[in-house]
Amino acid sequence: MKKNMVNGMNSFECILPDYGRRRLITCADSIRELADTFQEKEKEQPEAEKTEDRNEYIWQKKLSENKSLMAGHLKEMAQIMKQVAEESRRCEPMSERRFRQIAHALKEVGIQIKNLYLIENEKVKLEVSVSMRNIKKETLSAEEVGDLLSVLLNIRLSAAGDNPYFVGTEWQTFYYIEEAVYHVLTGVATAVKETERISGDNYTFFEAGAGNITCVLSDGMGSGEKACKDSTMVVELTERFLEAGFQAETAIRMINSVLLSSDENRNMSTLDLCSVDLYSGECRFVKVGSACSYIKRQHLVDRISAGNLPMGIFQKPDMEIVGRTLLDGDYIIMFSDGITDALSQGIGEEMLAEVIGSCHLMNPGEIAGHILNFCIHQCKGHIRDDMTVLVIGIWKKEEE
């Protein structure tokens, strides 16, 4: 039914107007040229001409670094503008007959609609845009209307997160997205270094776009408040950038620049990022100085490792990017360095895969707690570094 309905529509491309696209690309080119100018002027000034005075030399060196960082930021901005200009959506306006049928069905429950569209996004997933208002006293939530639309359109839909909760009496546009194939549960277990009150590890789980679950774990160098402050900044900025639509690589380069430009002592933090597409099951790891991660599939375990350094050391961070395809019932397990340090005092890190594979627990929280307790036992209760275990379990949704 869904295929016939879409094929019978008068489809058109719903993209930025050509004039707007050209303006964005022109602006992007101008910003990129400005960045090149920053770098060219720096190259034209020989090192010997700067100064022999030590303080003046340090000041000019710092100024040179800031110019390089500024040039990097400008280039990232130019790249983002170019990506926006290239984005497109296929917008399918509803046939008049079909629209009247849906409008009549919704009016029976007190909802008046106009401008109903099916939108095919870049991942070939369907979105629904509909303008509507409530014409009766009974209030309906956006989620309840989404359930009705799912039946009427024969598409499993869920309400977008930024929709108003209720359908009001004024015209508003609501968005619905095709429901993902998979759903996830997460679990966490943590332990703080025995000489500290606060952990230097920080983490978050969030939705970076429709049908995506992203986990970010950062371990600040050292321990205590300073480490916590650095890792908090890394986690919060990563979440903010990704939710705004930035690519992970772009976000990491910009955060690395923030760490480098700090006036305080050298700030360094690891970054372990895992992004899961809940439509396809595709999983993507981005690791910068972080500990190994694992994918558990029943008793089989796949190790994801990286040998690079943390952020805040070099102007261009070294990122290790690894992709995997997940299946129903798989688990993703991520650690901070404290876990591997604890194991080095016992059976050794190389045995961690065996410990994970032999675990028969199914709840992600219980799996995280089991691994943490095992590691604490290996170091005989002496927690010499902050320890964090994150677990994501993925399952296929049952067909209705």
Side-chain angles (χ1 to χ4, degrees), residues 71-101:
H73 285 318
L74 290 172
K75 287 185 175 181
E76 298 295 351
M77 290 172 60
Q79 182 62 27
I80 292 165
M81 295 173 73
K82 184 179 178 182
Q83 289 171 357
V84 171
E86 292 173 350
E87 286 182 357
S88 66
R89 298 286 191 276
R90 283 190 58 84
C91 186
E92 307 283 353
M94 187 68 61
S95 67
E96 186 176 350
R97 178 175 175 276
R98 187 64 176 143
F99 175 82
R100 284 200 305 266
Q101 291 174 339

Short mmCIF file of all heavy atoms in Angstrom, two decimals, residues 71-101:
data_model
loop_
_atom_site.label_atom_id
_atom_site.label_comp_id
_atom_site.label_asym_id
_atom_site.label_seq_id
_atom_site.Cartn_x
_atom_site.Cartn_y
_atom_site.Cartn_z
N ALA A 71 42.15 29.97 11.69
CA ALA A 71 42.05 29.49 10.30
C ALA A 71 41.35 28.15 10.25
O ALA A 71 40.52 27.89 9.37
CB ALA A 71 43.45 29.39 9.69
N GLY A 72 41.67 27.28 11.20
CA GLY A 72 41.01 25.97 11.24
C GLY A 72 39.52 26.10 11.48
O GLY A 72 38.72 25.42 10.83
N HIS A 73 39.11 26.98 12.40
CA HIS A 73 37.69 27.19 12.67
C HIS A 73 36.97 27.73 11.44
O HIS A 73 35.85 27.31 11.13
CB HIS A 73 37.50 28.17 13.83
CG HIS A 73 37.80 27.59 15.17
ND1 HIS A 73 37.40 26.31 15.54
CD2 HIS A 73 38.47 28.08 16.25
CE1 HIS A 73 37.80 26.06 16.77
NE2 HIS A 73 38.45 27.12 17.22
N LEU A 74 37.60 28.65 10.75
CA LEU A 74 36.97 29.22 9.55
C LEU A 74 36.76 28.16 8.48
O LEU A 74 35.73 28.13 7.81
CB LEU A 74 37.83 30.36 9.01
CG LEU A 74 37.88 31.63 9.87
CD1 LEU A 74 38.91 32.62 9.32
CD2 LEU A 74 36.50 32.30 9.92
N LYS A 75 37.73 27.29 8.33
CA LYS A 75 37.59 26.22 7.33
C LYS A 75 36.48 25.25 7.71
O LYS A 75 35.75 24.76 6.84
CB LYS A 75 38.92 25.48 7.17
CG LYS A 75 39.97 26.28 6.42
CD LYS A 75 41.23 25.46 6.16
CE LYS A 75 42.22 26.26 5.31
NZ LYS A 75 43.44 25.49 5.02
N GLU A 76 36.36 24.96 9.01
CA GLU A 76 35.27 24.09 9.45
C GLU A 76 33.92 24.75 9.16
O GLU A 76 32.98 24.08 8.71
CB GLU A 76 35.39 23.79 10.95
CG GLU A 76 36.67 23.05 11.35
CD GLU A 76 36.75 21.65 10.78
OE1 GLU A 76 35.75 21.17 10.20
OE2 GLU A 76 37.82 21.03 10.90
N MET A 77 33.80 26.05 9.43
CA MET A 77 32.56 26.77 9.15
C MET A 77 32.22 26.72 7.66
O MET A 77 31.07 26.52 7.27
CB MET A 77 32.67 28.21 9.62
CG MET A 77 32.69 28.39 11.13
SD MET A 77 33.05 30.09 11.61
CE MET A 77 31.67 30.94 10.82
N ALA A 78 33.23 26.89 6.83
CA ALA A 78 33.02 26.85 5.38
C ALA A 78 32.52 25.48 4.94
O ALA A 78 31.62 25.37 4.10
CB ALA A 78 34.31 27.21 4.65
N GLN A 79 33.09 24.42 5.54
CA GLN A 79 32.68 23.07 5.18
C GLN A 79 31.23 22.81 5.59
O GLN A 79 30.46 22.19 4.85
CB GLN A 79 33.61 22.06 5.86
CG GLN A 79 33.32 20.61 5.53
CD GLN A 79 33.46 20.29 4.05
OE1 GLN A 79 34.23 20.95 3.34
NE2 GLN A 79 32.72 19.30 3.58
N ILE A 80 30.85 23.30 6.77
CA ILE A 80 29.47 23.11 7.25
C ILE A 80 28.49 23.82 6.32
O ILE A 80 27.44 23.27 5.96
CB ILE A 80 29.34 23.64 8.69
CG1 ILE A 80 30.13 22.75 9.64
CG2 ILE A 80 27.87 23.68 9.12
CD1 ILE A 80 30.35 23.37 11.00
N MET A 81 28.81 25.05 5.90
CA MET A 81 27.93 25.80 5.00
C MET A 81 27.78 25.07 3.67
O MET A 81 26.69 25.02 3.09
CB MET A 81 28.47 27.21 4.79
CG MET A 81 28.46 28.06 6.06
SD MET A 81 29.27 29.66 5.86
CE MET A 81 28.06 30.50 4.86
N LYS A 82 28.86 24.49 3.19
CA LYS A 82 28.80 23.74 1.93
C LYS A 82 27.92 22.52 2.07
O LYS A 82 27.12 22.20 1.17
CB LYS A 82 30.21 23.33 1.51
CG LYS A 82 30.25 22.63 0.15
CD LYS A 82 31.67 22.26 -0.23
CE LYS A 82 31.69 21.52 -1.57
NZ LYS A 82 33.06 21.10 -1.94
N GLN A 83 28.01 21.83 3.21
CA GLN A 83 27.17 20.65 3.44
C GLN A 83 25.69 21.02 3.48
O GLN A 83 24.84 20.32 2.94
CB GLN A 83 27.57 19.96 4.74
CG GLN A 83 28.91 19.26 4.67
CD GLN A 83 29.39 18.77 6.04
OE1 GLN A 83 28.75 19.00 7.05
NE2 GLN A 83 30.52 18.10 6.05
N VAL A 84 25.37 22.14 4.14
CA VAL A 84 23.98 22.60 4.20
C VAL A 84 23.46 22.90 2.80
O VAL A 84 22.32 22.57 2.44
CB VAL A 84 23.86 23.84 5.10
CG1 VAL A 84 22.46 24.45 5.00
CG2 VAL A 84 24.14 23.47 6.55
N ALA A 85 24.30 23.52 1.97
CA ALA A 85 23.88 23.86 0.61
C ALA A 85 23.60 22.63 -0.23
O ALA A 85 22.79 22.66 -1.16
CB ALA A 85 24.96 24.72 -0.07
N GLU A 86 24.25 21.51 0.09
CA GLU A 86 24.10 20.29 -0.70
C GLU A 86 22.99 19.39 -0.20
O GLU A 86 22.65 18.40 -0.85
CB GLU A 86 25.43 19.52 -0.71
CG GLU A 86 26.54 20.24 -1.47
CD GLU A 86 27.88 19.55 -1.34
OE1 GLU A 86 27.96 18.62 -0.50
OE2 GLU A 86 28.82 19.93 -2.05
N GLU A 87 22.41 19.69 0.97
CA GLU A 87 21.34 18.86 1.51
C GLU A 87 20.08 18.96 0.65
O GLU A 87 19.76 20.00 0.12
CB GLU A 87 21.01 19.27 2.95
CG GLU A 87 22.05 18.84 3.95
CD GLU A 87 21.67 19.22 5.36
OE1 GLU A 87 20.62 19.88 5.54
OE2 GLU A 87 22.41 18.86 6.28
N SER A 88 19.36 17.86 0.55
CA SER A 88 18.12 17.85 -0.22
C SER A 88 17.12 16.88 0.38
O SER A 88 17.49 15.97 1.12
CB SER A 88 18.40 17.47 -1.69
OG SER A 88 18.86 16.14 -1.76
N ARG A 89 15.88 17.09 0.08
CA ARG A 89 14.79 16.21 0.51
C ARG A 89 13.82 16.04 -0.65
O ARG A 89 13.56 16.99 -1.39
CB ARG A 89 14.02 16.81 1.69
CG ARG A 89 14.83 17.03 2.96
CD ARG A 89 15.08 15.70 3.66
NE ARG A 89 15.63 15.88 4.98
CZ ARG A 89 16.91 16.07 5.25
NH1 ARG A 89 17.78 16.15 4.25
NH2 ARG A 89 17.33 16.20 6.49
N ARG A 90 13.30 14.85 -0.82
CA ARG A 90 12.23 14.63 -1.78
C ARG A 90 10.91 14.81 -1.04
O ARG A 90 10.64 14.13 -0.06
CB ARG A 90 12.30 13.24 -2.39
CG ARG A 90 13.37 13.09 -3.45
CD ARG A 90 13.21 11.75 -4.18
NE ARG A 90 11.89 11.62 -4.79
CZ ARG A 90 11.57 12.10 -5.98
NH1 ARG A 90 12.45 12.76 -6.68
NH2 ARG A 90 10.36 11.92 -6.46
N CYS A 91 10.11 15.73 -1.51
CA CYS A 91 8.84 16.04 -0.85
C CYS A 91 7.69 15.56 -1.72
O CYS A 91 7.60 15.93 -2.89
CB CYS A 91 8.74 17.55 -0.61
SG CYS A 91 7.31 18.02 0.35
N GLU A 92 6.84 14.71 -1.17
CA GLU A 92 5.74 14.11 -1.90
C GLU A 92 4.41 14.68 -1.41
O GLU A 92 3.94 14.30 -0.34
CB GLU A 92 5.74 12.59 -1.70
CG GLU A 92 7.05 11.89 -2.00
CD GLU A 92 7.30 11.72 -3.47
OE1 GLU A 92 6.38 12.03 -4.26
OE2 GLU A 92 8.39 11.28 -3.84
N PRO A 93 3.81 15.62 -2.14
CA PRO A 93 2.50 16.13 -1.69
C PRO A 93 1.42 15.06 -1.85
O PRO A 93 1.44 14.27 -2.78
CB PRO A 93 2.26 17.32 -2.63
CG PRO A 93 3.11 17.07 -3.82
CD PRO A 93 4.28 16.25 -3.38
N MET A 94 0.52 15.01 -0.91
CA MET A 94 -0.54 14.00 -0.90
C MET A 94 -1.53 14.25 -2.05
O MET A 94 -1.90 15.38 -2.33
CB MET A 94 -1.27 14.06 0.44
CG MET A 94 -2.28 12.98 0.67
SD MET A 94 -1.51 11.35 0.83
CE MET A 94 -0.48 11.61 2.27
N SER A 95 -1.97 13.17 -2.71
CA SER A 95 -3.01 13.32 -3.74
C SER A 95 -4.28 13.85 -3.09
O SER A 95 -4.54 13.61 -1.90
CB SER A 95 -3.28 11.97 -4.41
OG SER A 95 -3.87 11.08 -3.48
N GLU A 96 -5.07 14.59 -3.86
CA GLU A 96 -6.23 15.26 -3.30
C GLU A 96 -7.23 14.26 -2.71
O GLU A 96 -7.78 14.48 -1.62
CB GLU A 96 -6.93 16.09 -4.39
CG GLU A 96 -8.09 16.93 -3.85
CD GLU A 96 -8.69 17.82 -4.94
OE1 GLU A 96 -8.09 17.91 -6.03
OE2 GLU A 96 -9.76 18.40 -4.68
N ARG A 97 -7.44 13.15 -3.39
CA ARG A 97 -8.40 12.15 -2.90
C ARG A 97 -7.93 11.54 -1.58
O ARG A 97 -8.70 11.41 -0.63
CB ARG A 97 -8.58 11.07 -3.96
CG ARG A 97 -9.53 9.94 -3.54
CD ARG A 97 -9.75 8.97 -4.71
NE ARG A 97 -10.56 7.83 -4.32
CZ ARG A 97 -10.08 6.73 -3.72
NH1 ARG A 97 -8.76 6.65 -3.49
NH2 ARG A 97 -10.88 5.74 -3.39
N ARG A 98 -6.66 11.16 -1.55
CA ARG A 98 -6.13 10.55 -0.34
C ARG A 98 -6.10 11.55 0.82
O ARG A 98 -6.37 11.20 1.97
CB ARG A 98 -4.70 10.04 -0.62
CG ARG A 98 -4.11 9.23 0.53
CD ARG A 98 -4.90 7.97 0.76
NE ARG A 98 -4.30 7.15 1.79
CZ ARG A 98 -4.97 6.45 2.67
NH1 ARG A 98 -6.29 6.48 2.67
NH2 ARG A 98 -4.35 5.71 3.56
N PHE A 99 -5.76 12.81 0.50
CA PHE A 99 -5.74 13.85 1.54
C PHE A 99 -7.13 14.02 2.15
O PHE A 99 -7.26 14.15 3.38
CB PHE A 99 -5.25 15.17 0.94
CG PHE A 99 -5.30 16.32 1.90
CD1 PHE A 99 -4.28 16.52 2.82
CD2 PHE A 99 -6.38 17.19 1.91
CE1 PHE A 99 -4.33 17.57 3.71
CE2 PHE A 99 -6.44 18.25 2.81
CZ PHE A 99 -5.41 18.43 3.71
N ARG A 100 -8.16 14.02 1.33
CA ARG A 100 -9.52 14.20 1.85
C ARG A 100 -9.92 13.05 2.76
O ARG A 100 -10.57 13.26 3.79
CB ARG A 100 -10.52 14.30 0.69
CG ARG A 100 -10.50 15.64 -0.03
CD ARG A 100 -11.80 15.87 -0.79
NE ARG A 100 -12.08 14.78 -1.71
CZ ARG A 100 -11.74 14.77 -2.99
NH1 ARG A 100 -11.07 15.81 -3.51
NH2 ARG A 100 -12.03 13.74 -3.77
N GLN A 101 -9.51 11.83 2.41
CA GLN A 101 -9.81 10.68 3.26
C GLN A 101 -9.17 10.82 4.64
O GLN A 101 -9.80 10.57 5.68
CB GLN A 101 -9.33 9.39 2.58
CG GLN A 101 -10.10 9.00 1.33
CD GLN A 101 -9.48 7.80 0.64
OE1 GLN A 101 -8.30 7.48 0.84
NE2 GLN A 101 -10.27 7.12 -0.19
#
